[in-house]
Structure formats: C-alpha cells, structure tokens
Amino acid sequence: GFAVWPVLREKNVRGRPVLAAAIAALVIGIGAGAYLQLGAPALALRSLTGPSNDDVRGLIAALAERIRGNPNDPRGWILLGRGYLTLNDPSDAAAAFRRGLTVTPPSQRGPLSSAYGEALTYETQGAVSSEAEAAFAQALKLNPHDARALYYLGIAFAARGDRKNALALWNDLLAETPPNSTLHNVLVDRIAMLNGQAAPDINAMVEGLAA
C-alpha cells in the first residue's frame, strides 16, 4: 500500500497502473520469499486444513482442545494421556490420567489407575513412588489380574527388599503371560535375579505355576 499508492496518485507519471502492478508484484514476491524462508507455511496450512493422521502433535493438540469443551468425558482424558506418553511426556500424561480418574465411576477406575501409576513411574525414571504404588494397589483391588499393576508393584516390593511379595506378584503375572512375549522374558530375568541364580527353565516354571 505504501509503495503503490504514491504512484497511483501521481498524475504526471505515464502507465501508472502498469508501474503500480509491477511494484506490487515485486513487494509481494519479496514478502512471500522471506516468509517461505523465515516463516512457518506448514503451520499456517495446518491451521486451515487441520492436522493430518501422521501429525501426532497436531492430533493431540486438537484432542486437548476438544476435551476443554467436554471435560467430563473419561475416554477423552485416557486418549490424551496415552497421546502424551507417545510424545514421551509422562508429566502431562499423568495429569491427564489424574483428571480422568475424577470423572470416572469408581468401579471403572482400574485400567485408568494403573495407567496413571505407570505415567508417574515413567516420570521418576522407573522408580515407583508412593503415589504410583497407591494407584497400582487400587487397580489390583478392581482387577487382581491387572498386568501393569502386578509388574510395577513387584518392582516396588523388590526395591525395598521385600523379596517374598515381589516374587509372589511376578510369579502370578508370569503364569498369565504368553511365553513368546517380551514381558515373559523380562519377568523370567527379574525372578532369576531375585532368586540369585541363572534364568530357570521357562517351560518347567510355567508348568509348575499352572499346576
């Protein structure tokens, strides 16, 4: 506007419209080039079209915005917490799960309690805090077979030297874990470490537990 308006106003200049258009094109070209180099055209485009399916951060931001309009939806908080874990953000994940617990009926809080405890454990680099332990204990009250609760409570017991209870939890979980799973191998290693011996024969252990 500043560049073109004086040209259009000057009556003594020939070809004012053409000159004004050329100046406008020059200014727009410089501005567009500078924006492509220094700006964020992808962000501007996303604001118009919405996030794509492979834009995890954009999808989580959209979900967070949706939850603000419906804060009493437990499923929304669960999805948001899982999304934050995907982004390796356990603090925000724990906050989302904590909020979800406040709007979930008590009888349905089992999976959410164990997810909350797991997020707290990630936040403390694998150490099971007292708050996380309470969440896992609550999950086990509602579902004695909750795998996350059994696993992490075993870590808590082992950390304070309670070998008996740690082994009891992990042996129960091992009996319900598929032999070809990663968790099965982890449990075998942890049980062997608590027993102070080499890894036992897996098939024999599973058969004994089943009996």
Side-chain angles (χ1 to χ4, degrees):
F2 279 110
V4 172
W5 176 245
V7 177
L8 292 175
R9 192 175 60 175
E10 184 57 54
K11 296 181 179 180
N12 296 326
V13 178
R14 291 183 178 182
R16 287 178 298 164
V18 175
L19 181 58
I23 294 174
L26 177 63
V27 173
I28 291 173
I30 293 174
Y35 177 67
L36 289 174
Q37 292 294 322
L38 304 175
L43 181 62
L45 179 62
R46 192 176 73 189
S47 69
L48 296 175
T49 62
S52 62
N53 290 334
D54 58 354
D55 180 7
V56 178
R57 292 185 182 275
L59 291 171
I60 292 174
L63 177 60
E65 184 64 28
R66 183 180 301 176
I67 291 175
R68 290 191 184 98
N70 187 18
N72 294 323
D73 178 18
R75 185 171 179 271
W77 291 110
I78 293 172
L79 292 175
L80 184 61
R82 290 175 180 170
Y84 283 133
L85 285 180
T86 301
L87 296 179
N88 196 28
D89 186 352
S91 297
D92 281 346
F97 290 139
R98 187 186 304 116
R99 182 65 184 273
L101 284 169
T102 65
V103 296
T104 301
S107 61
Q108 301 174 16
R109 291 177 184 171
L112 193 52
S113 291
S114 62
Y116 174 51
E118 186 174 47
L120 291 174
T121 304
Y122 287 160
E123 189 177 10
T124 55
Q125 305 296 317
V128 182
S129 65
S130 58
E131 186 177 2
E133 187 171 348
F136 291 130
Q138 181 62 32
L140 278 187
K141 286 182 180 179
L142 297 172
N143 178 16
H145 303 284
D146 189 298
R148 272 184 300 206
L150 289 169
Y151 177 72
Y152 287 110
L153 279 179
I155 291 179
F157 284 127
R160 56 174 173 260
D162 190 344
R163 176 176 168 274
K164 179 180 178 181
N165 280 319
L167 286 174
L169 291 173
W170 285 341
N171 282 328
D172 287 345
L173 180 56
L174 184 64
E176 301 176 353
T177 304
N180 59 346
S181 68
T182 301
L183 177 58
H184 187 278
N185 296 333
V186 170
L187 287 169
V188 169
D189 290 341
R190 286 190 175 273
I191 290 171
M193 289 174 61
L194 281 186
N195 286 328
Q197 61 187 27
D201 180 73
I202 297 174
N203 292 328
M205 173 176 282
V206 173
E207 290 173 1
L209 290 170

